[in-house]
Amino acid sequence: MTLLDGKKTAAEWRADTARRVALLKSIHGRAPKLAAVLVGDDPASATYVRLKAKACEECGIRSRIVHLPADATQQQVRDTVRRLNRNSSVDGIIVQLPLPSHLDYKDLLQLISPGKDVDGFTPVNIGRLALGMQCLPPATPAGIIELLRRNGITTRGRRVAVVGRSNIVGRPMASLLMLKSDMGDATVTVCHSATPQYELEAILRDSDIIISAVGAPGLVKAHMVRPGAIVVDVGTTRVDDPSRKSGYRLAGDVDFDNVAPKCSYITPVPGGVGPMTIASLLHNTLTAFERKHSGRKS
Ligand code: GUN
């Protein structure tokens, strides 16, 4: 069993991004810039946004966090996004999810300029992805593809089970894997909350690669995984752990201790997909900047 080390692979990817940022800065006279909109005080969201901003700085990408209060109105958040769209020094915009429940996130996502949508969440980018057109792909699925690619794993002709159909991971993950490309060309099955348990187990047992993105600790158990399978765990659920200073630990969807010995490759949680998501966001910000300066459409 080989651990798919997202921390190490993401560091290599970020180093490539940093080199390219330095080159483009010398050509264009400024570095790319990411703006992150954070609404409210959800501690996990605040942590993620801080990590993203820190990773930007380390790659030479400038960053700005626009922090709005938890009771910000839909109109206030809309105005913020519109201002960032118009600001020519901002190349990438993200609105950190989840938003407070009184806000309509679909309405807000539709406002982000597709060329600045470095999360790849807008209908334009999701549509372009589904059609196999040039797009900014969602950060987590693109990060998973890059994790596999950089570790010499191909998906062509392989049976891949994606567990979860979220707009952020499951759906776009399936779209990427189905593309006619050297890191697509997979035979994809998507399982979700309406998939009967026996069906889920049969599909997983039949799969060369399992990608689980549900947020249900321990969902993927050893008897559901075939020997030699590749398992990618996207779950990051905070579970109480009084032995930790923070009072919690991050749990993946996979029963790691029992599943790992059966796998050829497996991602840890934390240190697997998480760092790749951030590296992917930086890569998309660089891509958005490059496309803007090359005059090509997003
Ligand atoms: N919340 C959980 N994951 C993500 C992500 O990739 N982007 C944003 N904006 N919010 C998230």
Side-chain angles (χ1 to χ4, degrees):
M1 182 275 293
T2 305
L3 211 57
L4 279 172
D5 185 344
K7 240 174 151 171
K8 178 165 164 277
T9 309
E12 291 162 5
W13 195 9
R14 289 197 309 269
D16 292 344
T17 300
R19 273 190 291 275
R20 186 113 194 106
V21 166
L23 176 68
L24 289 172
K25 190 175 170 191
S26 72
I27 295 170
H28 298 296
R30 74 169 182 93
K33 184 171 179 180
L34 173 74
V37 179
L38 173 66
V39 187
D41 305 305
D42 177 56
S45 291
T47 302
Y48 288 133
V49 167
R50 259 200 316 273
L51 286 175
K52 289 171 183 178
K54 185 164 165 275
C56 278
E57 306 299 334
E58 284 168 8
C59 280
I61 295 174
R62 289 175 307 151
S63 71
R64 174 175 158 203
I65 299 175
V66 183
H67 194 173
L68 300 175
D71 61 358
T73 62
Q74 185 79 13
Q75 198 53 47
Q76 282 170 327
V77 190
R78 286 182 125 232
D79 289 345
T80 299
V81 171
R82 285 212 176 96
R83 244 194 336 270
L84 295 171
N85 280 343
R86 284 195 303 269
N87 185 338
S88 60
S89 74
V90 170
D91 305 288
I93 302 169
I94 62 170
V95 175
Q96 186 64 30
L97 304 175
L99 288 168
S101 57
H102 68 279
L103 295 172
D104 176 355
Y105 86 95
K106 284 186 179 160
D107 168 69
L108 294 167
L109 291 183
Q110 296 202 60
L111 280 186
I112 301 174
S113 292
K116 295 189 178 189
D117 168 29
V118 287
D119 258 332
F121 289 170
T122 59
V124 170
N125 274 310
I126 293 283
R128 284 175 164 264
L129 170 63
L131 294 170
M133 295 163 69
Q134 176 176 279
C135 67
L136 289 165
T140 300
I144 292 170
I145 295 286
E146 193 66 10
L147 180 64
L148 298 176
R149 195 182 70 76
R150 286 182 180 252
N151 286 278
I153 299 166
T154 56
T155 51
R156 161 166 284 182
R158 292 195 141 159
R159 288 185 200 182
V160 184
V162 176
V163 190
R165 56 178 160 179
S166 70
N167 291 339
I168 294 182
V169 187
R171 268 170 218 273
M173 186 78 248
S175 291
L176 276 174
L177 288 164
M178 283 190 291
L179 287 180
K180 275 194 179 180
S181 77
D182 53 346
M183 281 311 293
D185 277 341
T187 305
V188 186
T189 309
V190 180
C191 306
H192 44 74
S193 52
T195 306
Q197 182 68 21
Y198 68 89
E199 194 101 270
L200 171 72
E201 297 194 7
I203 290 165
L204 295 193
R205 265 199 306 272
D206 218 21
S207 297
D208 304 308
I209 302 175
I210 296 171
I211 301 174
S212 186
V214 174
L219 175 84
V220 179
K221 299 195 164 48
H223 72 274
M224 306 178 194
V225 176
R226 68 150 62 157
I230 296 163
V231 175
V232 176
D233 191 348
V234 192
T236 47
T237 306
R238 284 187 175 198
V239 297
D240 291 340
D241 185 345
S243 72
R244 303 274 173 114
K245 211 169 103 196
S246 61
Y248 70 87
R249 67 183 164 81
L250 287 183
D253 289 351
V254 178
D255 175 9
F256 185 90
D257 292 345
N258 294 308
V259 169
K262 292 183 80 173
C263 297
S264 56
Y265 293 91
I266 187 167
T267 61
V269 175
V273 174
M276 293 302 291
T277 295
I278 294 183
S280 189
L281 174 70
L282 305 183
H283 181 261
N284 271 353
T285 306
L286 170 62
T287 303
F289 178 82
E290 277 183 308
R291 287 182 187 158
K292 187 198 262 180
H293 286 89
S294 73
R296 273 184 284 143
K297 264 178 74 76
S298 50

